[in-house]
Amino acid sequence: MPRLGEKTQYWLLVLPALAIMIAFYIVPVLGIWQISVTEPASGFGNFAKAAQSNAVKTSFVLTFRVAAVTTVGCVLLGYIVAYAISNYAGRLTPLMLALVILPFWVSVLIRSFSWIVLLGRSGLVNDSLRGAGLIDSPLRLMHNEFGVLVAMIHVMLPFAILPMLTNMRGIPDAYVKAARGLGASEWTAFRQVYFPQTLPGVMSGALLVFVLSLGFYVTPALLGGGRVLMISEYITYQIQEFLAWGLGSALSVILLIATALVLLIAARFVNLRNALLERK
Amino acid sequence: MTTPILSVSNAVKRYGDVHALDHVSQDIADGEFLTLLGPSGSGKTTLLSAIAGFITLDEGRIALRDTDITRQPPEHRDFGMVFQGYALFPTMTVRDNVAFPLKVRKRPAAEIRARVDECLDLVQMGQYADRMPSQLSGGQQQRVALARALSFHPQVLLLDEPLSALDKKLRADLQWELKALHDRLGVTFIYVTHDQEEALSMSDRIVILKDGKIQQDGKPGELYNRPVNSFVADFLGKSNFIDVTVTGAEGDLLHCEAKGASFPAIASENGPRSGQARAALRPERLRLAAPGEEFLPARVRQVSYLGERCQVIVTHDTLGDLLVSCPTWKTDITPAPDLPVSIGWDRDACVLLAPE
Ligand SMILES: Nc1ncnc2c1ncn2[C@@H]1O[C@H](COP(=O)(O)OP(=O)(O)O)[C@@H](O)[C@H]1O
Ligand SMILES: [Mg+2]
């Protein structure tokens, strides 16, 4: 058998995945792009319509706000979890890791429905509060932005924790020890020596959560109850309810471009390669 | 002895069943270069960490001059520390690393600047002040770590195997520099290593640890020439061991017999002066000569040429193999396998230890 060149070998290995990507992802996406400029008439009418629509503007602002708050929430909570696991869990580390990863094995759908059970009008939280005599009438905990945010933060948390954890577990404790030995208090050692080293993890966690949140559908749809229309749900409406394929596709294209812009802007501040791929 | 700068008494540290430190007591004199020497796992890092304040002892106490510091957090102890992997802060430049101890002490900026320059010059790293640690070689990182540990004028400098990651040549150079730095600054150095040559070449005093216990402490020459047990005799340099019976004594001098051979020896501190004993013989104290010239007949088994010295394994009929290390410039006999020879030694070359 003739020896294949290294290049040929490489392409043979990549080919199956590439073919699947092209056939089932790139081509349909291009199809969407095409629809966006051909339905119902050719030209940029759909984009003009989207730009003029107040509903679209509201939905985009909402989408970015929810994604931003979710990101901040996930990073804050996730940092504490990752810090605790990598510095204090000791022999419990595998168990703690399992607890972080476990939600991945439970469908997002089920996790979101669980929040409905918890946050509904006669859900666990309202019933308990009423039982305890703290409130007279049920609080509105879902079908609003609050409910969406609570569930989004929960669903996205592992995506924030895992990159930060990987990053923190790669930081030897010698640095903080050295800082203490050189006269720094626990807090100073954390702030000046430990925290700067965790920034790559924080950045990649934040970026991952933010980008995923921008296009998230299930959780906002279920907990928003049609009142918190993030852009992906808005697109679904256009296509399912109004059969407005053109406008829906145009909005998808805008979402894709917006996401790409976020990454582009992020790339100015973070090394994306390190943030998303590298585990150092 | 004047009041020691540091005094460790009855330090005990257990990890489960392991006694990392087993009733360790040691006084360290002001300005001394003290080396903690022992094989891996002997408790050196544990002892150093206890002195630095990174771990708390299960029992015992540590005093700095007259102050009990056993429970003091590390940042209040004012000891400089150089870690095994240097632990330079990767997000800070060389300058900021060296300035760190001064900044946390809230010294004025101008003073910090001057002191950092001074310290970097001290270790010949002035021109690298604005680099990141990752842009430096191992030896350079080592120097920066040293500058950082010295920048705040600590009374004691703790060093945990600072040279172990460097190659042999660089290690030798830095040994000289460290020693010179110590002599120049007059700071107390507590130096951890598992490398006996390093310990011998730099220390004023060596403490030998094994399984969390101090085996012996003393000046390098004392330990080398008068080891108290076979662990020390074998860990600090090489030794030949012969199980002997003491047959007589004349003052310091003891007569030994072993499997038909008889020879003179000297007692070690607290070592046996009669009955069963174990004789330790340094390879370089053995003389190799033509047959009949020395008192033990033997035959060369194997020769290994090392440049300045030559290691020869000789076999004696009843005593078995003995390692001889002879200078290669001595040309009266050229050892080769199967060559009949004789071996001998000066009476003080043979130290009697407790039997195993
Ligand atoms: N954090 C720890 N947990 C459990 N055992 C430890 C810990 N630190 C040290 N030990 C044990 O204590 C003994 C001494 O360790 P150490 O002081 O690091 O030795 P050395 O520095 O001389 O190589 C070893 O047996 C080691 O396994
Ligand atoms: Mg060690």
Side-chain angles (χ1 to χ4, degrees), chain A residues 175 177-178 180-182 184 197, chain B residues 54 75 79 88 90 105 148:
Chain A
Y175 294 118
K177 266 197 195 171
R180 299 288 307 279
L182 293 167
Q197 292 187 65
Chain B
F54 297 134
E75 65 266 31
F79 297 157
L88 293 179
R105 283 173 177 73
R148 182 177 71 175

Side-chain angles (χ1 to χ4, degrees), chain B residues 33-34 36 48 80-84 142 146 149 157-163 178 188-193:
Chain B
F33 195 128
L34 180 81
L36 305 175
L48 204 70
M81 175 112 196
V82 177
F83 283 81
Q84 199 160 0
Q142 177 53 57
L146 201 59
L157 188 62
L158 310 175
L159 305 104
D160 191 357
E161 312 218 10
L163 305 182
L178 267 178
T188 309
F189 276 40
I190 304 180
Y191 188 97
V192 162
T193 182

Side-chain angles (χ1 to χ4, degrees), chain A residues 96-259:
Chain A
M96 304 286 252
L97 281 176
L99 289 179
V100 170
I101 296 170
L102 206 62
F104 279 128
W105 300 343
V106 179
S107 141
V108 179
L109 205 61
I110 292 173
R111 277 184 279 159
S112 303
F113 271 123
S114 314
W115 278 109
I116 294 182
V117 173
L118 286 170
L119 300 179
R121 269 184 76 81
S122 50
L124 217 56
V125 175
N126 270 320
D127 276 1
S128 310
L129 286 176
R130 244 188 317 190
L134 290 172
I135 51 170
D136 298 326
S137 54
L139 296 175
R140 229 179 107 139
L141 298 174
M142 54 176 234
H143 291 175
N144 57 12
E145 221 172 299
F146 173 79
V148 171
L149 283 172
V150 169
M152 283 284 280
I153 289 175
H154 173 237
V155 167
M156 289 295 171
L157 204 49
F159 293 106
I161 293 176
L162 289 176
M164 291 199 275
L165 200 56
T166 317
N167 171 272
M168 287 181 194
R169 279 158 65 88
I171 303 173
D173 62 356
Y175 294 118
V176 167
K177 266 197 195 171
R180 299 288 307 279
L182 293 167
S185 66
E186 228 170 325
W187 169 242
T188 309
F190 172 79
R191 196 168 42 91
Q192 297 194 8
V193 173
Y194 189 82
F195 181 70
Q197 292 187 65
T198 60
L199 277 180
V202 170
M203 286 302 176
S204 58
L207 208 56
L208 207 58
V209 171
F210 190 74
V211 168
L212 286 176
S213 299
L214 280 181
F216 219 63
Y217 174 72
V218 177
T219 305
L222 284 179
L223 281 122
R227 294 204 181 86
V228 187
L229 275 193
M230 281 177 67
I231 197 66
S232 48
E233 198 182 357
Y234 191 92
I235 293 169
T236 315
Y237 261 104
Q238 293 305 317
I239 292 173
Q240 280 183 350
E241 305 290 317
F242 307 119
L243 297 178
W245 277 88
L247 182 58
S249 302
L251 290 174
S252 311
V253 173
I254 296 172
L255 178 61
L256 193 66
I257 292 173
T259 309

Side-chain angles (χ1 to χ4, degrees), chain B residues 175-193:
Chain B
Q175 281 174 22
W176 286 108
E177 283 184 37
L178 267 178
K179 183 73 185 135
L181 208 59
H182 169 261
D183 296 346
R184 183 135 63 102
L185 300 175
V187 174
T188 309
F189 276 40
I190 304 180
Y191 188 97
V192 162
T193 182

Side-chain angles (χ1 to χ4, degrees), chain B residues 12-327:
Chain B
V12 174
K13 181 72 188 176
R14 284 177 288 261
Y15 289 112
D17 295 339
V18 179
H19 274 72
L21 293 178
D22 194 353
H23 298 279
V24 169
S25 296
Q26 189 64 222
D27 284 344
I28 296 143
D30 200 356
E32 186 172 34
F33 195 128
L34 180 81
T35 296
L36 305 175
L37 176 68
S40 167
S42 57
K44 308 179 298 285
T45 298
T46 307
L47 181 53
L48 204 70
S49 302
I51 293 173
F54 297 134
I55 60 167
T56 41
L57 293 174
D58 295 330
E59 288 170 38
R61 102 188 243 287
I62 300 171
L64 175 65
R65 296 220 164 78
D66 297 320
T67 326
D68 187 334
I69 57 165
T70 317
R71 313 241 153 245
Q72 209 176 45
E75 65 266 31
H76 293 155
R77 298 194 182 192
D78 258 1
F79 297 157
M81 175 112 196
V82 177
F83 283 81
Q84 199 160 0
Y86 319 131
L88 293 179
F89 307 137
T91 54
M92 298 182 197
T93 60
V94 165
R95 172 180 297 287
D96 288 340
N97 262 283
V98 179
F100 184 83
L102 301 167
K103 279 187 184 150
V104 299
R105 283 173 177 73
K106 308 232 162 27
R107 298 280 168 74
E111 182 197 321
I112 293 181
R113 214 180 158 77
R115 180 64 187 154
V116 167
D117 287 338
E118 190 184 341
C119 286
L120 284 175
D121 286 343
L122 191 70
V123 295
Q124 298 140 42
M125 286 296 293
Q127 75 213 78
Y128 299 100
D130 296 315
R131 294 233 190 143
M132 298 306 279
S134 58
Q135 296 169 306
L136 302 178
S137 71
Q140 291 171 331
Q141 292 185 27
Q142 177 53 57
R143 285 159 195 258
V144 175
L146 201 59
R148 182 177 71 175
L150 288 169
S151 68
F152 57 105
H153 296 288
Q155 354 190 16
V156 178
L157 188 62
L158 310 175
L159 305 104
D160 191 357
E161 312 218 10
L163 305 182
S164 63
L166 305 175
D167 59 57
K168 202 173 153 103
K169 180 103 172 54
L170 191 57
R171 211 158 60 208
D173 291 345
L174 279 169
Q175 281 174 22
W176 286 108
E177 283 184 37
L178 267 178
K179 183 73 185 135
L181 208 59
H182 169 261
D183 296 346
R184 183 135 63 102
L185 300 175
V187 174
T188 309
F189 276 40
I190 304 180
Y191 188 97
V192 162
T193 182
H194 65 265
D195 181 330
Q196 44 112 356
E197 271 180 48
E198 211 167 278
L200 287 171
S201 71
M202 291 198 286
S203 322
D204 295 329
R205 204 154 60 84
I206 301 176
V207 174
I208 297 192
L209 282 165
K210 183 197 170 204
D211 298 336
K213 289 195 199 64
I214 293 184
Q215 303 294 308
Q216 190 175 2
D217 75 276
K219 293 198 170 69
E222 282 168 23
L223 297 193
Y224 190 82
N225 293 318
R226 294 292 190 94
V228 297
N229 59 30
S230 38
F231 174 77
V232 174
D234 208 33
F235 192 71
L236 212 58
K238 287 196 178 105
S239 284
N240 293 296
F241 293 109
I242 304 171
D243 290 322
V244 299
T245 313
V246 182
T247 53
E250 284 168 37
D252 236 8
L253 199 65
L254 304 170
H255 294 289
C256 314
E257 234 178 71
K259 295 176 183 157
S262 63
F263 45 83
I266 50 170
S268 67
E269 195 185 333
N270 307 323
R273 307 181 67 88
S274 63
Q276 297 297 309
R278 192 159 212 232
L281 272 165
R282 294 288 182 198
E284 72 275 11
R285 300 290 306 268
L286 298 190
R287 288 187 303 262
L288 202 60
E293 284 184 21
E294 294 286 356
F295 52 84
L296 278 186
R299 185 176 286 277
V300 174
R301 195 158 71 78
Q302 211 179 329
V303 181
S304 159
Y305 180 77
L306 299 175
E308 52 180 342
R309 300 195 77 81
C310 181
Q311 307 264 39
V312 184
I313 299 175
V314 300
T315 308
H316 177 265
D317 282 346
T318 53
L319 296 179
D321 286 349
L322 293 172
L323 181 68
V324 183
S325 169
C326 40

